[in-house]
Amino acid sequence: MFSKWWWRKRVGFEDITTRVTPECHFWVHWGASHCQTRAQTRGEWQLLCVPGGQPPLWKFMDSIGSEGLQQGEEALSCPEEGLPRPSDSSELVQDCLQQFKVTVAQLQQIQASLLGSMEQALRGQASPVPAVRMLPTYVGSTPHGTEQGDFVVLELGATGASLRVLWVTLTGIEGHRVEPRSQEFVIPQDVMLGAGQQLFDFAARCLSEFLDAQPVSKQGLQLGFSFSFPCHQTGLDRSTLISWTKGFRCSGVEGQDVVQLLRDAIQRQGAYNIDVVAVVNDTVGTLMGCELGARPCEVGLVVDTGTNVCYMEEARHVAVLDEDRGRVCVSVEWGSFSDDGALGPVLTTFDHTLDHESLNPGAQRFEKMIGGLYLGELVRLVLAHLTRRGVLFRGCPSPALLSQGSILLEHVAEMEDPSAGAARVHTILQDLGLSPEASDVELVQRVCATVCTRAAQLCAAALAAVLSRLQHSREQQTLQVAVATGGRVCERHPRFCSILQGTVMLLAPECDVSFIPSADGGGRGVAMVTAVAARLAAHRRLLEETLAPFRLNHDQLAAVQAQMREAMAKGLRGEASSLRMLPTYVRATPDGSERGDFLALDLGGTNFRVLLVRVTTCVQITSQIYSIPESVAQGSGQQLFDHIVDCIVDFQQKQGLSGQSLPLGFTFSFPCRQLGLDQGILLNWTKGFNASDCEGQDVVSLLREAITRRQAVELNVVAIVNDTVGTMMSCGYEDPRCEIGLIVGTGTNACYMEELRNVAGVPGDSGHMCINMEWGAFGDDGSLDTLSTCFDASVDQASINPGKQRFEKMISGMYLGEIVRHILLHLTSLGVLFRGQQTQRLQTRDIFKTKFLSEIESDSLALRQVRAILEDLGLPLTSDDTLMVLEVCQAVSQRAAQLCGAGVAAVVEKIRENRGLEELAVSVGVDGTLYKLHPHFSSLVAATVRELAPRCAVTFLQSEDGSGKGAALVTAVACRLAQSTRV
Ligand code: 0WK
Ligand code: BGC
Ligand code: BGC
């Protein structure tokens, strides 16, 4: 606070600034006379000589910065005719004003240096401490004009010593504006410099006073708080003040959550029930108030008492936000930009004086060269300087001219305004106690113009840095953007904006920028953010309500596990159960002694494959994928099996196997009651298959009949296996502990090695039998209805097998996309998504593929890629929409994985208990596109199994070769067993 000694000498005039403390007296020799005074308070004393013989004046600045004058005994007089103008006055003027001249090179250096600091701060680099703060504001989207409602807005700090309360009505109709009602309240100096509680109580009183005058209810008011100071935001309604700027310095606020301080004050006031929904920086309010136009408004610039800018940055570039999706509005806080390298050369002695005498020396140096709170002071210091040099006002300053803060922004704006005319300038100067001559008026205008031109140029250099950052952020060569401007310097200063625009075009020629003045100082913008916050909060509540049934807790999952155990036991006993627990006649997993060449078919998944499997000491596979057109899958059984045989024949020809009758294993991934290894009665189709005349038939016979129909083809169908069994066998070949097969693909199912004694209907009490659980049908008896949602019901209703495969329809790839689509339709109908616009595309069945979930949820995908997937679907979405679609996908796939995990936990616990083991180590062979491709599905399944079956160490083995290999191995085992019984 206490600055160093100042000595300034000039012929016949002396002023002394000194640091004194209460206990010291001091003497000043003044020409013939001397006077003595006693310092009343701690502070800074300055001896001022005043014209006209009054006793000398002492100016003091006490510790809180307020100043006053005290009559000394005797004052120096200023000769009536004033002092002669020094001969070198034009050099003096040139020297003085030259200091404010900033070259293009200097502006470019400031632009580059600020851009460097911005990117350093975005990366979260702590040292060297970045010169600007780059504060995320949690405003993630620019309003889209549908915001509606009545909002209270409280503006504090934007316009210096006043706060404003507004009542803003948003109609939600693009272009239809209701003029906000507002009231301004002057904040007393002692409140701006007093205790924080005093300031917030003052604000709460102003709020009540304003609302008392409005025909509004006292309940359920939503308020947006425009707080124009640097704050760390941790949410749209949580913001901690970093440091005061612009003449404010209340105690007990820095480091506090200003929303809570306001809520507490409103509570203490107790007059209104007001929900403070959002806190925004004034630049954000300005940006958000920007009228929707041809170009996206992505920058908000304020030059009022202070200055600052915000812009929409890609969230993934903001290191502090562990968010790599969407955009976020960042408040740059360029007021604190202070790169000595860049700013040093343009800082004048007047800037240093101003900073030294300011409330926060050393801080906000850039702001002090641009902000309206300081322009007047800079002009005053220059005028005082030139006056002392006798260049102005015949060397006779007035007390006002020597008083800090006596020249205001309004004065500068008027004096610089060519339309104001000399007379007006004359009046202003006279009001400051000066006696200007015409030349003085002209020079004063020049000083104002010089100071403001520099301010506008510096502001432009900084803005050009922000535009360059936007280009980098958008990876665009050129940029088309609109900048919303606000603040009295922009609004009232005659030339500020034109200089700003011209300089920006010079410094950022590749940016095509339009400037849109804010209609009402950002009040509407704050209401917009509040509306967005309120809307987002409402949408979030609706989204949470919609997704809540998908968020299964431990007890619900444990209940599914227990219900599945019960259904397994019933199914094994042959009792009515939604789990058929079908014996597969596979009694052992391979032991590695299998040998030979085998043909294998793999039908029922995404692809139909024909494979040649050569089993020696290892397994070699040659396969070919064939399509099963929907018309064949839903045509006649004969057509389907003839198509299968056609594919086999085509494969044999390509592999040079024609005429060879290799043992064939048939992976048929549908529920079959097996009567033997090569006999399987199809119980019902699933997964979109519906070929006629097959259900209730022995599938192997249907295949053999098709072979017969296609003369000249020899095939020895040895085994029919389910894809779960094929997968278990395939993985069991590598890991003998693999006793469970799991498929999570188009459909879902599991099999496992059960104790034969537990399998009713199959003779024998020792040994094992692989059981195909057909768990896709779990819950078909209604046991899952408590978990089923209206979206599951819609998907089931629209399926070709309503009421069937309920568990599968909550888990597998054929249905997850549809569940998501139905949820998106629902959220769109609530207006939560896509602005409530239902699109034809989204109403199209199966348009939202399950693979989209895997893509959308992949960690490596930035939101724009997610958006691209959704835009390909013709969905008109915002980044909020995209984030919500992502959450919907996450909720649906998470539930699917957890339910699948609960099923696996039931199976491993069954095996553990079967064997009376404390601990069980077992492996699960897994296949299926969803399990393999979804970024989180497998880990969620494993986590659920660990949670529900903690005494089982379960290893999940992803099958590399699919179940075709498993079918060939089952065939090989059957051939080996047949061989061994023949010998
Ligand atoms: C590959 C297996 C096949 C199984 C399929 C399931 O070889 O037997 O039916 O996985 O996954 P999907 O292709 O349905 O995603
Ligand atoms: C504050 C900013 C504010 C700017 C304009 C600066 O002093 O630090 O938060 O946006 O003034 O009001
Ligand atoms: C079938 C099962 C098959 C599963 C996975 C289900 O629809 O009923 O037999 O294992 O899909 O493909």
Side-chain angles (χ1 to χ4, degrees), residues 227-246:
F227 186 72
S228 311
F229 300 92
C231 290
H232 275 310
Q233 276 203 254
T234 49
L236 260 176
D237 62 349
R238 280 188 311 286
S239 193
T240 303
L241 174 63
I242 299 169
S243 61
W244 286 112
T245 63
K246 295 173 295 188

Side-chain angles (χ1 to χ4, degrees), residues 524-743:
R524 256 176 74 73
V526 176
M528 286 278 196
V529 173
T530 312
V532 171
R535 184 188 80 221
L536 288 179
H539 285 179
R540 172 132 308 277
R541 268 193 307 281
L542 286 168
L543 180 72
E544 276 317 314
E545 277 160 28
T546 303
L547 296 182
F550 288 85
R551 311 219 192 273
L552 304 180
N553 60 35
H554 176 84
D555 295 348
Q556 288 172 306
L557 291 168
V560 170
Q561 179 188 15
Q563 283 166 325
M564 185 166 279
R565 285 296 303 273
E566 198 189 323
M568 288 169 74
K570 282 187 182 158
L572 285 172
R573 290 196 297 269
E575 295 165 15
S577 163
S578 62
L579 289 181
R580 297 195 185 93
M581 306 302 282
L582 302 164
T584 65
Y585 292 85
V586 170
R587 301 169 188 278
T589 51
D591 62 6
S593 64
E594 298 73 20
R595 294 285 182 277
D597 289 355
F598 304 91
L599 269 183
L601 306 178
D602 186 352
L603 177 72
T606 311
N607 308 304
F608 168 52
R609 290 193 310 160
V610 180
L611 308 87
L612 169 63
V613 181
R614 173 157 297 161
V615 184
T616 54
T617 52
C618 66
V619 175
Q620 292 162 294
I621 295 175
T622 315
S623 71
Q624 172 136 4
I625 289 178
Y626 294 87
S627 72
I628 304 281
E630 188 166 282
S631 59
V632 173
Q634 298 188 1
S636 72
Q638 178 161 331
Q639 198 189 0
L640 171 62
F641 283 90
D642 287 347
H643 175 76
I644 290 170
V645 172
D646 291 348
C647 298
I648 298 170
V649 171
D650 173 76
F651 180 78
Q652 284 182 315
Q653 283 159 354
K654 286 193 177 117
Q655 301 302 325
L657 299 169
S658 299
Q660 287 191 40
S661 169
L662 292 177
L664 182 144
F666 186 7
T667 301
F668 184 76
S669 313
F670 302 94
C672 288
R673 181 171 308 291
Q674 290 204 237
L675 310 173
L677 203 52
D678 64 347
Q679 243 186 320
I681 308 302
L682 174 60
L683 298 171
N684 58 275
W685 285 116
T686 63
K687 292 177 289 187
F689 274 71
N690 201 15
S692 58
D693 313 324
C694 295
E695 291 179 342
Q697 303 299 314
D698 172 12
V699 178
V700 175
S701 308
L702 293 176
L703 179 58
R704 288 181 176 141
E705 286 157 15
I707 293 165
T708 310
R709 278 194 295 276
R710 178 72 184 258
Q711 271 97 19
V713 176
E714 272 296 306
L715 287 173
N716 169 18
V717 184
V718 170
I720 178 168
V721 296
N722 183 263
D723 54 354
T724 54
V725 179
T727 300
M728 180 188 77
M729 296 296 273
S730 171
C731 296
Y733 192 75
E734 320 296 336
D735 172 353
R737 285 178 316 157
C738 181
E739 298 190 76
I740 298 171
L742 172 66
I743 297 286

Side-chain angles (χ1 to χ4, degrees), residues 48 206 255 331 347 355 531 689 931 964:
L48 302 173
C206 297
S331 166
L347 282 168
D355 175 57
F689 274 71
Y931 185 95

Side-chain angles (χ1 to χ4, degrees), residues 131-148:
V132 287
R133 293 202 173 92
M134 303 301 281
L135 303 167
T137 68
Y138 286 78
V139 171
S141 72
T142 45
H144 38 65
T146 59
E147 292 74 17
Q148 52 186 299

Side-chain angles (χ1 to χ4, degrees), residues 954-973:
V954 181
T955 309
F956 290 88
L957 307 168
Q958 287 210 12
S959 160
E960 296 318 322
D961 314 304
S963 60
K965 168 183 164 187
L969 290 168
V970 169
T971 307
V973 172

Side-chain angles (χ1 to χ4, degrees), residues 93 96-102 375 379 382 416 443-457 495 499:
V93 170
C96 179
L97 298 185
Q98 184 53 34
Q99 292 186 50
F100 288 88
K101 291 276 177 277
V102 186
L375 293 181
V379 167
V382 173
E416 204 221 336
L443 179 51
V444 167
Q445 287 187 303
R446 246 180 87 199
V447 170
C448 292
T450 305
V451 169
C452 297
T453 301
R454 181 191 71 164
Q457 291 171 328
R495 295 177 319 118
I499 297 168

Side-chain angles (χ1 to χ4, degrees), residues 829-881:
S829 67
L830 295 176
V832 170
L833 277 178
F834 318 131
R835 301 184 189 172
Q837 287 161 29
Q838 292 287 13
T839 61
Q840 189 44 42
R841 295 295 298 279
L842 196 56
Q843 315 218 352
T844 312
R845 201 168 145 193
D846 291 332
I847 190 79
F848 199 99
K849 301 280 179 246
T850 297
K851 72 180 170 71
F852 293 158
L853 275 80
S854 302
E855 291 162 6
I856 285 169
E857 291 181 59
S858 96
D859 300 339
S860 61
L861 212 59
L863 194 72
R864 74 175 176 285
Q865 285 142 321
V866 174
R867 195 172 316 190
I869 293 171
L870 299 169
E871 273 152 3
D872 286 354
L873 284 175
L875 297 173
L877 55 136
T878 66
S879 55
D880 295 329
D881 289 335

